[in-house]
Amino acid sequence: MKYKKIKLKRKYSPHYTEKKPFFSEKEIIFRNAGKAMVLKISSKVQLFTIAMFCMIAVWSVYSYHMYNKSGAIISDKDQELIETRDAYVELMSDFVAIQKNIDSVLTSMKDNKGKNIDLYKRQAMVVEDKIKQITEEKDWADSKKINDKAELNEIMLQRDLAAAERDALKEQLKELEVAVQNIKKAELEVFAKVESIASKEINKIKSAFSKVNGALKQQGLYFNPLANSKKRDSKGGAFVPAAAIELQDDKIIKKISNIYKSVDDLEYYREVSQYVPLGKPVWSYWVSSKFGYRSDPFNKRRAGHKGIDLASRTGNKIKVPARGRVVRTRISNKGYGNLVDIDHGNGFKTRYAHLHKIYVKEGDYLEVDDAIGEVGNTGRSTGPHLHYEILYQNHPVDPLPFMQAKIS
């Protein structure tokens, strides 16, 4: 039996569409004038767009919340500011009142020794502290804290004042030390100058005495000014004031001691020189006959001349070159003619002869440069002149060195 071959139909196989992801690539088709344009949007762009949208939404919610909250904060701060301004106005009124009292405080400063100024400073610091507290703290009106800080400020003020005074005193002390050193230096320079001047003056007098002794040595004589000291006792040493000893500075004390010694010596030498006939007895003259042997002007024979002849005009003033006492005056037309003898002490005597006029009398005490008479031509004389003699211990000596040794 033949079987007929049956042709089987194809089995139905349903077609399943594959499920695509949510952020799969998208296409947007734009048609215009029969043309189509496809815009593809990738999954990354889609994700970025969604993320930006979420962020904007979150920011909007947050901003709305902060706006409402900041409004409440600003309202609270406005209320605080109003309270603070009121307090500030009150404090500033106090501060202005304090400022108005400055004149009265300064006026009474001398009487109260600066206490009012300190009080003003403390009050000003308290007000300043209150103002600072207003700007920094909300509970500015706490009176206990203000009082505590005021007391603390007062303590700190006293401490600062003490520290400032201490520092100022230190600076003043340094300045005083520098000033003292400068003064000491200047004093030493002045002392050195004074000592130098005194030494120069003493040397001038000693030089004059040296010239005098040159003339005296020719007669075997010597004048020692220290041998005629008026200091009767044996106590010595330079005078140093108690004030100098209190300085306790050996250098200054030594310098002062040297100065007093030099000044003391100078005063002594000056006093001695007042009694030594130094200088010329007439202002205008020329030496017509020197001391020693000469030819006598009348008989032309060799003879001794005990003095020096100073030719000058009749009437010229004769002045005594040293202190002394008039021991003799004589009016005569013989020998020495009109004569004056003066004793100067310390062994010195002077004689003035041939005077035209005599101004003094025996017993008169004379000072240096006192006029005793006028140049004349009396006695044994060939013309108007002054016969001038110097005697030391009753020995005639050459007057010329004494005239040349005048202390300038």
Side-chain angles (χ1 to χ4, degrees):
M1 180 175 190
K2 292 183 181 180
Y3 293 94
K4 190 178 181 180
K5 198 172 188 178
I6 300 172
K7 192 176 180 179
L8 297 176
K9 295 181 180 181
R10 295 174 66 181
K11 290 184 179 180
Y12 174 75
S13 177
H15 179 72
Y16 295 97
T17 303
E18 184 180 356
K19 190 177 181 180
K20 295 182 179 180
F22 181 77
F23 293 105
S24 62
E25 188 177 275
K26 300 292 189 297
E27 293 182 354
I28 299 175
I29 300 173
F30 297 93
R31 292 182 182 275
N32 185 20
K35 293 182 181 181
M37 185 176 65
V38 179
L39 179 63
K40 293 182 179 182
I41 302 175
S42 65
S43 59
K44 290 183 178 180
V45 173
Q46 297 176 44
L47 287 172
F48 178 76
T49 302
I50 295 298
M52 288 296 295
F53 178 78
C54 291
M55 289 178 62
I56 292 172
V58 171
W59 175 255
S60 299
V61 173
Y62 176 75
S63 298
Y64 179 77
H65 173 73
M66 290 303 296
Y67 176 77
N68 291 333
K69 186 175 181 180
S70 61
I73 293 173
I74 291 172
S75 178
D76 293 341
K77 292 298 181 181
D78 286 341
Q79 185 63 31
E80 269 187 35
L81 182 60
I82 292 171
E83 295 176 355
T84 302
R85 285 177 178 173
D86 293 340
Y88 182 78
V89 170
E90 183 180 352
L91 289 173
M92 285 306 296
S93 63
D94 294 340
F95 192 76
V96 170
I98 292 174
Q99 289 288 351
K100 290 181 179 179
N101 291 330
I102 288 178
D103 292 336
S104 60
V105 170
L106 292 177
T107 303
S108 60
M109 179 181 65
K110 293 183 179 180
D111 298 332
N112 296 327
K113 299 181 180 179
K115 292 181 180 179
N116 288 339
I117 287 182
D118 291 340
L119 178 60
Y120 165 73
K121 288 181 178 179
R122 289 195 294 270
Q123 290 175 344
M125 290 184 70
V126 170
V127 173
E128 182 181 1
D129 187 69
K130 287 181 180 179
I131 295 172
K132 288 180 179 179
Q133 191 176 22
I134 288 172
T135 59
E136 294 175 358
E137 301 177 5
K138 183 177 179 181
D139 54 345
W140 54 269
D142 190 341
S143 59
K144 184 177 185 304
K145 288 185 177 181
I146 292 176
N147 292 334
D148 291 343
K149 287 193 175 183
E151 292 178 0
L152 180 61
N153 282 338
E154 184 174 358
I155 294 171
M156 293 177 66
L157 173 63
Q158 295 298 330
R159 182 201 64 186
D160 294 342
L161 287 174
E165 290 177 359
R166 179 199 62 198
D167 295 339
L169 287 174
K170 284 184 179 179
E171 290 298 324
Q172 290 178 2
L173 183 59
K174 289 180 181 178
E175 293 175 0
L176 286 175
E177 288 176 352
V178 173
V180 168
Q181 293 299 324
N182 292 336
I183 291 172
K184 286 173 63 177
K185 183 179 178 181
E187 284 179 346
L188 289 174
E189 291 176 356
V190 172
F191 292 159
K193 188 69 174 178
V194 172
E195 186 178 5
S196 175
I197 293 172
S199 298
K200 286 181 181 179
E201 293 298 318
I202 291 174
N203 289 333
K204 286 181 182 179
I205 299 173
K206 286 183 177 180
S207 177
F209 288 163
S210 178
K211 289 183 179 180
V212 168
N213 278 319
L216 296 180
K217 285 180 181 179
Q218 296 177 3
Q219 307 295 325
L221 304 171
Y222 180 77
F223 170 64
N224 181 10
L226 297 179
N228 299 289
S229 174
K230 293 184 178 181
K231 298 175 182 179
R232 300 299 182 184
D233 53 27
S234 301
K235 297 179 182 179
F239 169 72
V240 181
I245 297 175
E246 292 175 358
L247 291 174
Q248 297 181 351
D249 190 313
D250 294 338
K251 194 172 183 179
I252 291 181
I253 291 175
K254 183 178 179 181
K255 185 63 69 174
I256 291 176
S257 177
N258 292 338
I259 288 174
Y260 275 96
K261 183 179 183 303
S262 298
V263 172
D264 187 54
D265 291 345
L266 177 59
E267 289 179 354
Y268 173 72
Y269 275 102
R270 279 179 173 173
E271 184 179 3
V272 173
S273 67
Q274 294 290 307
Y275 295 90
V276 179
L278 303 175
K280 54 188 179 181
V282 289
W283 175 253
S284 177
Y285 67 91
W286 59 275
V287 179
S288 57
S289 183
K290 294 184 179 181
F291 173 82
Y293 291 97
R294 65 169 183 172
S295 175
D296 187 82
F298 287 94
N299 55 31
K300 307 301 181 182
R301 291 164 54 184
R302 180 177 172 81
H305 190 222
K306 295 182 179 180
I308 187 172
D309 289 342
L310 305 176
S312 186
R313 295 179 60 181
T314 300
N316 282 352
K317 295 289 190 299
I318 300 171
K319 295 183 179 181
V320 62
R323 290 179 178 178
R325 184 173 63 90
V326 179
V327 293
R328 183 172 67 152
T329 60
R330 188 183 67 181
I331 304 297
S332 174
N333 286 322
K334 297 181 180 180
Y336 282 117
N338 296 336
L339 174 74
V340 175
D341 285 345
I342 299 175
D343 186 356
H344 300 282
N346 296 326
F348 287 103
K349 294 179 181 179
T350 53
R351 176 169 293 168
Y352 310 83
H354 309 300
L355 274 63
H356 176 65
K357 288 183 180 179
I358 296 175
Y359 297 161
V360 295
K361 62 182 182 299
E362 291 183 13
D364 286 349
Y365 286 92
L366 305 175
E367 296 293 330
V368 178
D369 289 336
D370 280 352
I372 61 170
E374 299 175 2
V375 174
N377 189 28
T378 60
R380 192 172 183 268
S381 172
T382 59
H385 72 285
L386 169 66
H387 175 82
Y388 178 50
E389 292 184 13
I390 294 180
L391 296 89
Y392 180 62
Q393 296 179 357
N394 294 321
H395 295 278
V397 296
D398 187 359
L400 192 58
F402 287 79
M403 295 170 60
Q404 296 172 344
K406 181 173 176 60
I407 302 170
S408 57

